[in-house]
Amino acid sequence: MVDPLPIQLLAEYFPNGISRYAIGGLFVGLGASIIYLGTGISAGASTFLESTLSYVSGLSRFQQYVSSRDWRWVFTIGIIAGAAIYSLTLGDALQYTTQVQPWRLFVGGVLVGVGTRVGKGCTSGHGICGMGSASRTSIVGVATFLLVAIGVAQVVAALGVSP
């Protein structure tokens, strides 16, 4: 007899079912594959952000992307447009809410930004493209992201911190 516990866990962690996540993952993988096959470049979001910043900043770190920033800009706009189109047609019409205090979101964003620079890429670049190409650096990076996130979540929960 099959233990119903895994089904209960799925229902708890995915109250809307897993199909939307599976379909979303397929689209992300397809998009990353198209970018890689078309350009030979991994589709990490932090690199796209840096190339977009090359339009407004003269810093050398941003200028290295000038030659390829036009298609990256289109891709960045596509990410935003895709999310907006989904939300307006199939989703919750942009009615996303959170109980997390704004200062915590800001601090979290700053820490993610610093981690992206130190780790030479973001979770999308390492987790999707790097893992897909069996990059040792990305495998170590993703393992580190996960272990730290799990550890911090456990500590925060043990301290009783709420949003």
Side-chain angles (χ1 to χ4, degrees):
M1 185 164 152
V2 176
D3 184 10
L5 183 60
I7 294 171
Q8 290 172 342
L9 285 176
L10 281 178
E12 180 182 339
Y13 291 125
F14 302 102
N16 297 319
I18 62 169
S19 62
R20 66 173 49 194
Y21 305 106
I23 292 168
L26 288 173
F27 276 116
V28 169
L30 180 62
S33 298
I34 289 170
I35 292 293
Y36 186 76
L37 292 172
T39 66
I41 298 172
S42 295
S46 62
T47 305
F48 289 99
L49 175 61
E50 284 191 40
S51 66
T52 302
L53 290 173
S54 71
Y55 285 104
V56 296
S57 174
L59 293 175
S60 62
R61 78 170 349 128
F62 302 130
Q63 296 308 306
Q64 64 182 324
Y65 302 107
V66 169
S67 64
S68 64
R69 71 182 176 187
D70 292 337
W71 72 262
R72 293 173 192 263
W73 172 247
V74 172
F75 183 77
T76 302
I77 295 301
I79 291 172
I80 296 166
I85 290 168
Y86 174 83
S87 291
L88 293 171
T89 59
L90 303 172
D92 300 334
L94 301 174
Q95 296 178 8
Y96 300 109
T97 61
T98 182
Q99 300 299 317
V100 179
Q101 297 168 347
W103 72 269
R104 289 183 177 168
L105 293 172
F106 179 78
V107 170
V110 169
L111 291 173
V112 167
V114 170
T116 297
R117 293 295 357 118
V118 171
K120 304 275 191 238
C122 59
T123 53
S124 62
H126 286 298
I128 298 167
C129 300
M131 294 284 288
S133 62
S135 162
R136 288 183 188 160
T137 302
S138 292
I139 292 168
V140 170
V142 169
T144 303
F145 301 154
L146 288 174
L147 290 173
V148 170
I150 291 167
V152 169
Q154 295 301 312
V155 168
V156 168
L159 293 174
V161 176
S162 63

